[in-house]
């Protein structure tokens, strides 16, 4: 059951019909009531109420769903934060911080309440990329007050200690936990966390200490970067953090066209004929086509392997680099640009994927997976409905790059089955291979 009542978003007993005008009033409770998808859902509920009840008007109020105590959000600074979104890469220099900054400000542009924290202790980028309205740090009790720019709340070790930090690994994790969990963020729909490159202490500490709704992975078109993205997806899945989106940065470059008036002046200066001008225009048109400087990319393969539907290619633009150096995010300085629109699409996709995962988690709360040896089937029970697949048939659906569907042993059997969060299951096979399957694999929707 995927309706708002079965998912616990709406309580029918709270429905009110106003005596004075016959209109209907109902509450829709989610963890991000101001998110665009929730606003759209509330509007759809209002239309459904009008149609079903025949009332002249229906109002669905968006209310905050209380965070359950077992959600893992135990840090006091995160008590009013609905969703934590990690932005990571397994290789440096791919534009991860640029993506994190512009994602945060794009979410804010969509109407969400947003915070942004840079947890790269050795090389913080946020103080360079975003100039806050004030750089004066304040502390109330044990809580740090975040800085702010255009409504986005900000925190980085670069503002706390602008000098170089020389710390061993064991000291890093507690510092990160303090910076994320002891900052007084207040009520936020999204807290974007800009992770350092790699898959080390900071990533594990974050996953183990707070509830992360999902991650955005940033890559470039090269195969070397793709290999590292696969490692990143696997790391986050092992700690039950779904990958919400993948961004392929610096995917292409289109040289700027030469203005016609400059060409006219050049042709007049050198006395070029009309035929020569036509040839020049044809050659310049070839030079102004899109160039894939770093290869064709791997977005399609990532989508096929992991079922990541939100995949974006960002072009290589000098304006994005300039914005990063100026202290003003690109989506703020050039909101009408193509790149700014892509960042807003990324923000909408992140919000949409989180909301979809929440609904899926509620509908799949009773999902179980086990091996029925008698029937020789791996059985998933989802929403009370049974879905079974033979081990070999299921294994051939594994999209790991090291799995060869045509060379799987015929006598395959699962030896270990473990749920991975609310959306997937991990299976270790009798030949030693490990697969990760979204639950949709069993229903045929993947």
């Amino acid at each position: 059951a995927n309706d708002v009542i079965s998912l616990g978003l709406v309580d029918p007993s709270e429905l009110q019909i106003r005596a004075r005008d016959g209109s209907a009033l109902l509450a829709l409770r989610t963890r991000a009531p101001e998110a665009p998808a929730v606003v759209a859902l509330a509007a759809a509920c209002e239309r459904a109420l009008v149609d079903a009840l025949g009332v002249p008007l229906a109002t669905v109020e968006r209310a905050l769903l209380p965070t359950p105590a077992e959600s893992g959000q135990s840090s006091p600074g995160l008590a009013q934060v609905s969703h934590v979104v990690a932005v990571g890469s397994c290789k440096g220099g791919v534009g991860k911080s640029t993506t994190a900054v512009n994602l945060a400000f794009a979410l804010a542009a969509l109407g969400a309440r947003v915070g942004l924290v840079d947890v790269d202790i050795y090389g913080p980028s946020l103080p360079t990329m975003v100039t806050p309205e004030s750089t004066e740090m304040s502390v109330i009790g044990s809580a740090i007050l975040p800085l702010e720019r255009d409504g986005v709340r900000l925190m980085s070790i670069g503002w706390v200690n602008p000098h170089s930090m020389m710390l061993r690994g064991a000291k890093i994790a507690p510092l990160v936990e303090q910076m994320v969990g002891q900052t007084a963020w207040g009520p936020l729909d999204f807290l974007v966390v800009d992770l350092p490159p790699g898959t080390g202490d900071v990533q594990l500490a974050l996953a183990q200490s707070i509830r992360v709704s999902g991650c955005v992975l940033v890559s470039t078109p090269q195969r070397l970067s793709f290999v590292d993205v696969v490692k990143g997806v696997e790391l986050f899945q092992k700690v039950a953090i779904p990958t919400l989106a993948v961004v392929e940065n610096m995917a292409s470059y289109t040289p700027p066209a030469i203005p016609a008036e400059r060409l006219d002046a050049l042709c007049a200066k050198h006395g070029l004929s009309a035929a020569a001008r036509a040839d020049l225009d044809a050659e310049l048109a070839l030079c102004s086509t899109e160039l894939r400087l770093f290869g064709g990319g791997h977005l399609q393969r990532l989508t096929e392997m992991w079922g990541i539907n939100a995949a974006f290619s960002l072009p290589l633009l000098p304006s994005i680099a300039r914005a990063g150096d100026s202290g003003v995010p690109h989506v703020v300085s050039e909101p009408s640009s193509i790149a700014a629109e892509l960042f807003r699409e990324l923000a909408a996709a992140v919000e949409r994927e989180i909301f979809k995962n929440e609904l899926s988690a509620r509908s799949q709360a009773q999902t179980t997976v086990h091996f029925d040896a008698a029937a020789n089937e791996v059985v998933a029970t989802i929403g009370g409905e049974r879905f079974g697949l033979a081990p070999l048939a299921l294994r051939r659906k594994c999209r790991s790059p090291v799995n060869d569907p045509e060379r799987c042993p015929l006598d395959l059997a699962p030896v270990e089955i473990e749920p991975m969060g609310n959306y997937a299951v991990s299976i270790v096979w009798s030949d030693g291979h490990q697969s990760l399957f979204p639950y949709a694999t069993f229903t045929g929707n993947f």
Side-chain angles (χ1 to χ4, degrees):
N2 292 314
D3 60 272
V4 292
I5 296 175
S6 299
L7 294 172
L9 305 181
V10 165
D11 183 352
S13 66
E14 296 179 347
L15 177 63
Q16 302 177 30
I17 304 296
R18 294 187 178 98
R20 67 176 186 273
D21 58 6
S23 62
L25 177 65
L26 189 62
L28 174 70
R29 290 183 170 83
T30 69
R31 295 195 56 216
E34 300 303 323
V38 179
V39 174
L41 180 61
C45 290
E46 289 174 347
R47 292 192 296 271
L49 286 171
V50 169
D51 293 341
L53 302 177
V55 294
L57 178 68
T59 301
V60 174
E61 295 181 341
R62 302 186 306 277
L64 182 65
L65 183 72
T67 303
E70 66 272 13
S71 68
Q73 223 70 297
S74 57
S75 301
L78 299 174
Q80 294 178 280
V81 176
S82 294
H83 300 290
V84 176
V85 178
V87 179
S89 68
C90 296
K91 186 171 294 298
V94 299
K96 168 187 57 60
S97 294
T98 298
T99 302
V101 166
N102 284 283
L103 169 62
F105 281 84
L107 284 167
L110 293 178
R113 299 167 297 180
V114 183
L116 172 62
V117 58
D118 174 6
V119 296
D120 192 339
I121 303 301
Y122 296 124
S125 302
L126 194 54
T128 299
M129 303 187 75
V130 180
T131 301
E133 293 155 9
S134 170
T135 57
E136 183 178 349
M137 301 297 302
S138 299
V139 177
I140 298 180
S142 61
I144 309 169
L145 297 183
L147 304 180
E148 195 164 320
R149 167 73 189 248
D150 295 323
V152 176
R153 296 165 191 171
L154 310 165
M155 181 51 61
S156 170
I157 194 67
W159 286 309
V160 177
N161 181 4
H163 307 291
S164 60
M165 299 286 288
M166 299 179 66
L167 296 172
R168 293 187 181 275
K171 300 288 187 181
I172 296 296
L175 184 57
V176 168
E177 292 175 18
Q178 181 181 14
M179 194 163 54
V180 176
Q182 297 295 326
T183 298
W185 295 108
L188 293 180
D189 297 315
F190 302 99
L191 175 62
V192 178
V193 181
D194 182 10
L195 297 171
T199 56
D201 291 340
V202 172
Q203 288 80 357
L204 291 175
L206 190 73
Q208 293 168 356
S209 61
I210 66 175
R211 179 184 180 275
V212 181
S213 296
C215 67
V216 174
L217 292 177
V218 184
S219 176
T220 56
Q222 296 104 311
R223 183 177 181 276
L224 184 61
S225 187
F226 164 75
V227 170
D228 285 335
V229 164
V230 170
K231 294 177 183 177
V233 173
E234 292 176 342
L235 164 77
F236 284 112
Q237 287 178 332
K238 285 179 180 178
V239 292
I241 297 175
T243 299
L244 305 170
V246 174
V247 175
E248 190 174 71
N249 200 19
M250 298 178 278
S252 63
Y253 175 69
T254 303
I258 300 176
E261 56 271 18
R262 288 183 58 188
L263 285 176
D264 291 340
L266 183 66
C267 291
K269 178 180 179 180
H270 295 282
L272 298 183
S273 64
R277 170 61 188 271
D279 289 342
L280 180 61
D281 286 340
E283 292 298 321
L284 289 175
L286 293 176
C287 295
S288 296
T289 56
E290 182 182 77
L291 305 175
R292 303 285 297 193
L293 299 177
F294 303 113
H298 299 276
L299 282 186
Q300 181 64 32
R301 189 176 177 190
L302 280 170
T303 300
E304 293 174 353
M305 285 172 54
W306 305 106
I308 302 171
N309 297 317
F312 297 85
S313 289
L314 287 173
L316 181 62
L317 294 174
S319 58
I320 295 180
R322 286 195 301 269
D325 293 338
S326 71
V328 182
H330 185 77
V331 296
V332 175
S333 62
E334 299 190 35
S336 59
S337 66
I338 294 176
E341 179 58 30
L342 285 172
F343 281 122
R344 286 191 291 270
E345 290 179 10
L346 170 63
V350 165
E351 182 272 330
R352 183 174 60 249
E353 290 298 312
I354 288 177
F355 189 59
K356 185 169 68 176
N357 287 345
E358 279 201 339
L359 295 182
S360 176
R362 290 170 180 269
S363 64
Q364 295 177 352
Q366 302 302 317
T367 296
T368 61
V369 180
H370 72 280
F371 179 52
D372 185 340
N376 193 35
E377 285 186 332
V378 181
V379 177
T381 303
I382 303 174
E385 190 172 354
R386 183 186 187 279
F387 301 89
L389 286 170
L392 184 58
L394 179 60
R395 171 65 176 272
R396 284 175 172 166
K397 293 178 179 291
C398 174
R399 293 176 176 176
S400 168
V402 298
N403 180 57
D404 186 345
E406 303 306 318
R407 295 188 177 182
C408 298
L410 298 180
D411 59 348
L412 265 177
V415 296
E416 184 179 328
I417 298 176
E418 182 181 357
M420 302 295 289
N422 296 311
Y423 73 105
V425 62
S426 170
I427 298 180
V428 178
W429 299 96
S430 52
D431 65 347
H433 179 75
Q434 182 175 5
S435 301
L436 188 81
F437 297 106
Y439 291 134
T441 306
F442 294 90
T443 62
N445 295 322
F446 180 68

